PDB file of all heavy atoms in Angstrom:
ATOM      1  N   GLU A  11     104.507  94.907 102.272  1.00  0.00           N
ATOM      2  CA  GLU A  11     103.404  95.831 101.988  1.00  0.00           C
ATOM      3  C   GLU A  11     102.749  95.424 100.709  1.00  0.00           C
ATOM      4  O   GLU A  11     101.491  95.449 100.549  1.00  0.00           O
ATOM      5  CB  GLU A  11     103.893  97.253 102.002  1.00  0.00           C
ATOM      6  CG  GLU A  11     102.771  98.299 101.680  1.00  0.00           C
ATOM      7  CD  GLU A  11     103.232  99.593 101.429  1.00  0.00           C
ATOM      8  OE1 GLU A  11     104.317 100.097 101.923  1.00  0.00           O
ATOM      9  OE2 GLU A  11     102.510 100.270 100.544  1.00  0.00           O
ATOM     10  N   LEU A  12     103.464  95.104  99.739  1.00  0.00           N
ATOM     11  CA  LEU A  12     102.925  94.702  98.436  1.00  0.00           C
ATOM     12  C   LEU A  12     101.966  93.512  98.585  1.00  0.00           C
ATOM     13  O   LEU A  12     100.811  93.569  98.165  1.00  0.00           O
ATOM     14  CB  LEU A  12     103.957  94.415  97.341  1.00  0.00           C
ATOM     15  CG  LEU A  12     103.546  94.099  95.949  1.00  0.00           C
ATOM     16  CD1 LEU A  12     102.977  95.254  95.255  1.00  0.00           C
ATOM     17  CD2 LEU A  12     104.544  93.436  95.086  1.00  0.00           C
ATOM     18  N   PHE A  13     102.533  92.505  99.301  1.00  0.00           N
ATOM     19  CA  PHE A  13     101.656  91.285  99.498  1.00  0.00           C
ATOM     20  C   PHE A  13     100.372  91.575 100.325  1.00  0.00           C
ATOM     21  O   PHE A  13      99.346  91.040 100.067  1.00  0.00           O
ATOM     22  CB  PHE A  13     102.511  90.193 100.103  1.00  0.00           C
ATOM     23  CG  PHE A  13     103.516  89.579  99.216  1.00  0.00           C
ATOM     24  CD1 PHE A  13     104.739  89.217  99.762  1.00  0.00           C
ATOM     25  CD2 PHE A  13     103.408  89.644  97.742  1.00  0.00           C
ATOM     26  CE1 PHE A  13     105.743  88.626  98.912  1.00  0.00           C
ATOM     27  CE2 PHE A  13     104.407  89.159  96.949  1.00  0.00           C
ATOM     28  CZ  PHE A  13     105.532  88.725  97.486  1.00  0.00           C
ATOM     29  N   ARG A  14     100.579  92.496 101.320  1.00  0.00           N
ATOM     30  CA  ARG A  14      99.349  92.853 102.097  1.00  0.00           C
ATOM     31  C   ARG A  14      98.404  93.568 101.220  1.00  0.00           C
ATOM     32  O   ARG A  14      97.100  93.307 101.318  1.00  0.00           O
ATOM     33  CB  ARG A  14      99.800  93.813 103.227  1.00  0.00           C
ATOM     34  CG  ARG A  14      98.634  94.194 104.107  1.00  0.00           C
ATOM     35  CD  ARG A  14      99.027  95.094 105.261  1.00  0.00           C
ATOM     36  NE  ARG A  14      99.708  94.303 106.242  1.00  0.00           N
ATOM     37  CZ  ARG A  14      99.986  94.790 107.514  1.00  0.00           C
ATOM     38  NH1 ARG A  14      99.563  95.962 107.895  1.00  0.00           N
ATOM     39  NH2 ARG A  14     100.719  94.042 108.415  1.00  0.00           N
ATOM     40  N   ILE A  15      98.771  94.549 100.360  1.00  0.00           N
ATOM     41  CA  ILE A  15      97.847  95.256  99.517  1.00  0.00           C
ATOM     42  C   ILE A  15      97.172  94.297  98.569  1.00  0.00           C
ATOM     43  O   ILE A  15      95.944  94.343  98.425  1.00  0.00           O
ATOM     44  CB  ILE A  15      98.637  96.361  98.810  1.00  0.00           C
ATOM     45  CG1 ILE A  15      99.009  97.486  99.753  1.00  0.00           C
ATOM     46  CG2 ILE A  15      97.671  96.948  97.571  1.00  0.00           C
ATOM     47  CD1 ILE A  15      99.837  98.584  99.091  1.00  0.00           C
ATOM     48  N   GLU A  16      97.910  93.365  98.045  1.00  0.00           N
ATOM     49  CA  GLU A  16      97.363  92.285  97.126  1.00  0.00           C
ATOM     50  C   GLU A  16      96.255  91.456  97.801  1.00  0.00           C
ATOM     51  O   GLU A  16      95.182  91.328  97.253  1.00  0.00           O
ATOM     52  CB  GLU A  16      98.486  91.501  96.555  1.00  0.00           C
ATOM     53  CG  GLU A  16      97.988  90.436  95.626  1.00  0.00           C
ATOM     54  CD  GLU A  16      99.132  89.494  95.109  1.00  0.00           C
ATOM     55  OE1 GLU A  16     100.125  89.329  95.946  1.00  0.00           O
ATOM     56  OE2 GLU A  16      99.025  89.096  93.964  1.00  0.00           O
ATOM     57  N   ALA A  17      96.572  91.043  99.018  1.00  0.00           N
ATOM     58  CA  ALA A  17      95.672  90.207  99.751  1.00  0.00           C
ATOM     59  C   ALA A  17      94.412  90.965 100.073  1.00  0.00           C
ATOM     60  O   ALA A  17      93.173  90.429  99.952  1.00  0.00           O
ATOM     61  CB  ALA A  17      96.320  89.711 100.968  1.00  0.00           C
ATOM     62  N   ILE A  18      94.496  92.230 100.503  1.00  0.00           N
ATOM     63  CA  ILE A  18      93.287  93.014 100.898  1.00  0.00           C
ATOM     64  C   ILE A  18      92.458  93.267  99.528  1.00  0.00           C
ATOM     65  O   ILE A  18      91.208  93.213  99.561  1.00  0.00           O
ATOM     66  CB  ILE A  18      93.642  94.316 101.521  1.00  0.00           C
ATOM     67  CG1 ILE A  18      94.292  93.970 102.933  1.00  0.00           C
ATOM     68  CG2 ILE A  18      92.470  95.265 101.651  1.00  0.00           C
ATOM     69  CD1 ILE A  18      94.960  95.195 103.608  1.00  0.00           C
ATOM     70  N   ALA A  19      93.137  93.658  98.455  1.00  0.00           N
ATOM     71  CA  ALA A  19      92.495  93.885  97.196  1.00  0.00           C
ATOM     72  C   ALA A  19      91.714  92.632  96.803  1.00  0.00           C
ATOM     73  O   ALA A  19      90.603  92.690  96.277  1.00  0.00           O
ATOM     74  CB  ALA A  19      93.486  94.268  96.134  1.00  0.00           C
ATOM     75  N   LYS A  20      92.369  91.447  96.919  1.00  0.00           N
ATOM     76  CA  LYS A  20      91.659  90.198  96.604  1.00  0.00           C
ATOM     77  C   LYS A  20      90.386  90.013  97.411  1.00  0.00           C
ATOM     78  O   LYS A  20      89.343  89.620  96.825  1.00  0.00           O
ATOM     79  CB  LYS A  20      92.622  89.043  96.828  1.00  0.00           C
ATOM     80  CG  LYS A  20      91.969  87.660  96.454  1.00  0.00           C
ATOM     81  CD  LYS A  20      93.023  86.531  96.575  1.00  0.00           C
ATOM     82  CE  LYS A  20      92.432  85.228  96.352  1.00  0.00           C
ATOM     83  NZ  LYS A  20      93.436  84.081  96.575  1.00  0.00           N
ATOM     84  N   ASN A  21      90.449  90.250  98.630  1.00  0.00           N
ATOM     85  CA  ASN A  21      89.276  90.108  99.532  1.00  0.00           C
ATOM     86  C   ASN A  21      88.090  91.035  99.185  1.00  0.00           C
ATOM     87  O   ASN A  21      86.950  90.733  99.304  1.00  0.00           O
ATOM     88  CB  ASN A  21      89.656  90.284 100.989  1.00  0.00           C
ATOM     89  CG  ASN A  21      90.512  89.183 101.559  1.00  0.00           C
ATOM     90  OD1 ASN A  21      90.455  87.989 101.019  1.00  0.00           O
ATOM     91  ND2 ASN A  21      91.249  89.394 102.638  1.00  0.00           N
ATOM     92  N   LEU A  22      88.512  92.232  98.673  1.00  0.00           N
ATOM     93  CA  LEU A  22      87.545  93.258  98.333  1.00  0.00           C
ATOM     94  C   LEU A  22      87.137  93.179  96.836  1.00  0.00           C
ATOM     95  O   LEU A  22      86.328  93.958  96.393  1.00  0.00           O
ATOM     96  CB  LEU A  22      88.172  94.644  98.562  1.00  0.00           C
ATOM     97  CG  LEU A  22      88.438  95.082 100.008  1.00  0.00           C
ATOM     98  CD1 LEU A  22      89.090  96.386 100.094  1.00  0.00           C
ATOM     99  CD2 LEU A  22      87.132  95.021 100.798  1.00  0.00           C
ATOM    100  N   HIS A  23      87.655  92.256  96.087  1.00  0.00           N
ATOM    101  CA  HIS A  23      87.410  92.144  94.651  1.00  0.00           C
ATOM    102  C   HIS A  23      87.807  93.326  93.901  1.00  0.00           C
ATOM    103  O   HIS A  23      87.044  93.784  93.078  1.00  0.00           O
ATOM    104  CB  HIS A  23      86.034  91.652  94.405  1.00  0.00           C
ATOM    105  CG  HIS A  23      85.528  90.402  95.121  1.00  0.00           C
ATOM    106  ND1 HIS A  23      85.991  89.163  94.832  1.00  0.00           N
ATOM    107  CD2 HIS A  23      84.657  90.358  96.194  1.00  0.00           C
ATOM    108  CE1 HIS A  23      85.432  88.269  95.627  1.00  0.00           C
ATOM    109  NE2 HIS A  23      84.675  88.858  96.530  1.00  0.00           N
ATOM    110  N   LYS A  24      88.948  93.874  94.365  1.00  0.00           N
ATOM    111  CA  LYS A  24      89.502  95.083  93.753  1.00  0.00           C
ATOM    112  C   LYS A  24      90.865  94.978  93.001  1.00  0.00           C
ATOM    113  O   LYS A  24      91.509  93.890  93.229  1.00  0.00           O
ATOM    114  CB  LYS A  24      89.674  96.060  94.895  1.00  0.00           C
ATOM    115  CG  LYS A  24      88.290  96.706  95.533  1.00  0.00           C
ATOM    116  CD  LYS A  24      87.836  97.843  94.616  1.00  0.00           C
ATOM    117  CE  LYS A  24      86.693  98.587  95.289  1.00  0.00           C
ATOM    118  NZ  LYS A  24      86.257  99.692  94.471  1.00  0.00           N
ATOM    119  N   MET A  25      91.112  95.909  92.234  1.00  0.00           N
ATOM    120  CA  MET A  25      92.530  95.953  91.570  1.00  0.00           C
ATOM    121  C   MET A  25      93.182  97.152  92.140  1.00  0.00           C
ATOM    122  O   MET A  25      92.753  98.306  92.169  1.00  0.00           O
ATOM    123  CB  MET A  25      92.331  96.213  90.061  1.00  0.00           C
ATOM    124  CG  MET A  25      93.619  96.292  89.330  1.00  0.00           C
ATOM    125  SD  MET A  25      94.385  94.737  89.037  1.00  0.00           S
ATOM    126  CE  MET A  25      93.428  94.182  87.630  1.00  0.00           C
ATOM    127  N   ALA A  26      94.283  96.856  92.855  1.00  0.00           N
ATOM    128  CA  ALA A  26      95.141  97.973  93.468  1.00  0.00           C
ATOM    129  C   ALA A  26      96.234  98.532  92.458  1.00  0.00           C
ATOM    130  O   ALA A  26      96.950  97.649  91.909  1.00  0.00           O
ATOM    131  CB  ALA A  26      95.886  97.464  94.707  1.00  0.00           C
ATOM    132  N   ILE A  27      96.142  99.744  92.227  1.00  0.00           N
ATOM    133  CA  ILE A  27      97.056 100.380  91.335  1.00  0.00           C
ATOM    134  C   ILE A  27      98.303 100.805  92.129  1.00  0.00           C
ATOM    135  O   ILE A  27      98.193 101.304  93.204  1.00  0.00           O
ATOM    136  CB  ILE A  27      96.479 101.656  90.760  1.00  0.00           C
ATOM    137  CG1 ILE A  27      95.140 101.330  89.964  1.00  0.00           C
ATOM    138  CG2 ILE A  27      97.457 102.372  89.888  1.00  0.00           C
ATOM    139  CD1 ILE A  27      94.375 102.495  89.555  1.00  0.00           C
ATOM    140  N   ILE A  28      99.483 100.279  91.663  1.00  0.00           N
ATOM    141  CA  ILE A  28     100.699 100.475  92.466  1.00  0.00           C
ATOM    142  C   ILE A  28     101.884 101.018  91.679  1.00  0.00           C
ATOM    143  O   ILE A  28     101.953 100.923  90.426  1.00  0.00           O
ATOM    144  CB  ILE A  28     101.066  99.098  93.109  1.00  0.00           C
ATOM    145  CG1 ILE A  28     101.411  98.024  92.058  1.00  0.00           C
ATOM    146  CG2 ILE A  28      99.989  98.513  94.064  1.00  0.00           C
ATOM    147  CD1 ILE A  28     102.777  97.751  91.894  1.00  0.00           C
ATOM    148  N   ALA A  29     102.832 101.701  92.490  1.00  0.00           N
ATOM    149  CA  ALA A  29     104.112 102.048  91.937  1.00  0.00           C
ATOM    150  C   ALA A  29     105.055 101.574  93.073  1.00  0.00           C
ATOM    151  O   ALA A  29     104.706 101.609  94.241  1.00  0.00           O
ATOM    152  CB  ALA A  29     104.275 103.550  91.736  1.00  0.00           C
ATOM    153  N   LEU A  30     106.275 101.204  92.829  1.00  0.00           N
ATOM    154  CA  LEU A  30     107.192 100.838  93.744  1.00  0.00           C
ATOM    155  C   LEU A  30     108.202 101.944  94.127  1.00  0.00           C
ATOM    156  O   LEU A  30     108.573 102.668  93.152  1.00  0.00           O
ATOM    157  CB  LEU A  30     108.008  99.583  93.343  1.00  0.00           C
ATOM    158  CG  LEU A  30     107.290  98.282  93.130  1.00  0.00           C
ATOM    159  CD1 LEU A  30     108.212  97.180  92.903  1.00  0.00           C
ATOM    160  CD2 LEU A  30     106.328  97.996  94.211  1.00  0.00           C
ATOM    161  N   ARG A  31     108.320 102.231  95.314  1.00  0.00           N
ATOM    162  CA  ARG A  31     109.204 103.343  95.799  1.00  0.00           C
ATOM    163  C   ARG A  31     110.645 102.866  95.833  1.00  0.00           C
ATOM    164  O   ARG A  31     110.958 102.036  96.645  1.00  0.00           O
ATOM    165  CB  ARG A  31     108.795 103.927  97.076  1.00  0.00           C
ATOM    166  CG  ARG A  31     109.701 105.050  97.612  1.00  0.00           C
ATOM    167  CD  ARG A  31     109.070 105.740  98.861  1.00  0.00           C
ATOM    168  NE  ARG A  31     110.159 106.731  99.354  1.00  0.00           N
ATOM    169  CZ  ARG A  31     109.932 107.412 100.343  1.00  0.00           C
ATOM    170  NH1 ARG A  31     108.657 107.502 101.049  1.00  0.00           N
ATOM    171  NH2 ARG A  31     110.777 108.280 100.790  1.00  0.00           N
ATOM    172  N   ILE A  32     111.467 103.445  95.038  1.00  0.00           N
ATOM    173  CA  ILE A  32     112.881 103.044  94.977  1.00  0.00           C
ATOM    174  C   ILE A  32     113.584 103.964  95.897  1.00  0.00           C
ATOM    175  O   ILE A  32     113.520 105.176  95.856  1.00  0.00           O
ATOM    176  CB  ILE A  32     113.409 103.078  93.534  1.00  0.00           C
ATOM    177  CG1 ILE A  32     112.524 102.383  92.581  1.00  0.00           C
ATOM    178  CG2 ILE A  32     114.854 102.618  93.501  1.00  0.00           C
ATOM    179  CD1 ILE A  32     112.390 100.990  92.935  1.00  0.00           C
ATOM    180  N   ASN A  33     114.626 103.368  96.722  1.00  0.00           N
ATOM    181  CA  ASN A  33     115.568 104.118  97.464  1.00  0.00           C
ATOM    182  C   ASN A  33     116.815 104.187  96.705  1.00  0.00           C
ATOM    183  O   ASN A  33     117.544 103.246  96.705  1.00  0.00           O
ATOM    184  CB  ASN A  33     115.656 103.437  98.883  1.00  0.00           C
ATOM    185  CG  ASN A  33     116.612 104.260  99.772  1.00  0.00           C
ATOM    186  OD1 ASN A  33     117.507 104.853  99.305  1.00  0.00           O
ATOM    187  ND2 ASN A  33     116.266 104.333 101.070  1.00  0.00           N
ATOM    188  N   PRO A  34     117.181 105.275  96.147  1.00  0.00           N
ATOM    189  CA  PRO A  34     118.349 105.373  95.206  1.00  0.00           C
ATOM    190  C   PRO A  34     119.640 105.546  95.952  1.00  0.00           C
ATOM    191  O   PRO A  34     120.685 105.559  95.268  1.00  0.00           O
ATOM    192  CB  PRO A  34     118.063 106.574  94.311  1.00  0.00           C
ATOM    193  CG  PRO A  34     117.289 107.386  95.274  1.00  0.00           C
ATOM    194  CD  PRO A  34     116.522 106.523  96.095  1.00  0.00           C
ATOM    195  N   ASN A  35     119.718 105.558  97.297  1.00  0.00           N
ATOM    196  CA  ASN A  35     120.827 105.760  98.049  1.00  0.00           C
ATOM    197  C   ASN A  35     121.646 107.027  97.571  1.00  0.00           C
ATOM    198  O   ASN A  35     122.835 106.988  97.322  1.00  0.00           O
ATOM    199  CB  ASN A  35     121.852 104.500  97.981  1.00  0.00           C
ATOM    200  CG  ASN A  35     122.848 104.503  98.990  1.00  0.00           C
ATOM    201  OD1 ASN A  35     122.711 105.112 100.094  1.00  0.00           O
ATOM    202  ND2 ASN A  35     124.044 103.933  98.714  1.00  0.00           N
ATOM    203  N   ILE A  36     120.962 108.113  97.530  1.00  0.00           N
ATOM    204  CA  ILE A  36     121.558 109.428  97.152  1.00  0.00           C
ATOM    205  C   ILE A  36     121.552 110.316  98.388  1.00  0.00           C
ATOM    206  O   ILE A  36     120.490 110.531  99.015  1.00  0.00           O
ATOM    207  CB  ILE A  36     120.788 110.022  95.974  1.00  0.00           C
ATOM    208  CG1 ILE A  36     121.036 109.170  94.642  1.00  0.00           C
ATOM    209  CG2 ILE A  36     121.099 111.418  95.694  1.00  0.00           C
ATOM    210  CD1 ILE A  36     120.061 109.552  93.585  1.00  0.00           C
ATOM    211  N   ASP A  37     122.616 110.902  98.589  1.00  0.00           N
ATOM    212  CA  ASP A  37     122.828 111.856  99.797  1.00  0.00           C
ATOM    213  C   ASP A  37     122.189 113.208  99.261  1.00  0.00           C
ATOM    214  O   ASP A  37     122.851 113.938  98.409  1.00  0.00           O
ATOM    215  CB  ASP A  37     124.214 112.000 100.220  1.00  0.00           C
ATOM    216  CG  ASP A  37     124.192 112.875 101.481  1.00  0.00           C
ATOM    217  OD1 ASP A  37     123.193 113.453 101.973  1.00  0.00           O
ATOM    218  OD2 ASP A  37     125.405 112.949 102.082  1.00  0.00           O
TER     219      ASP A  37
END
């Protein structure tokens, strides 16, 4: 997903603001 967002942002001449979603493995 990160690489897809980056590629689409490049095509649109945009900067994509991102945060990565961490899965902490907490029940």
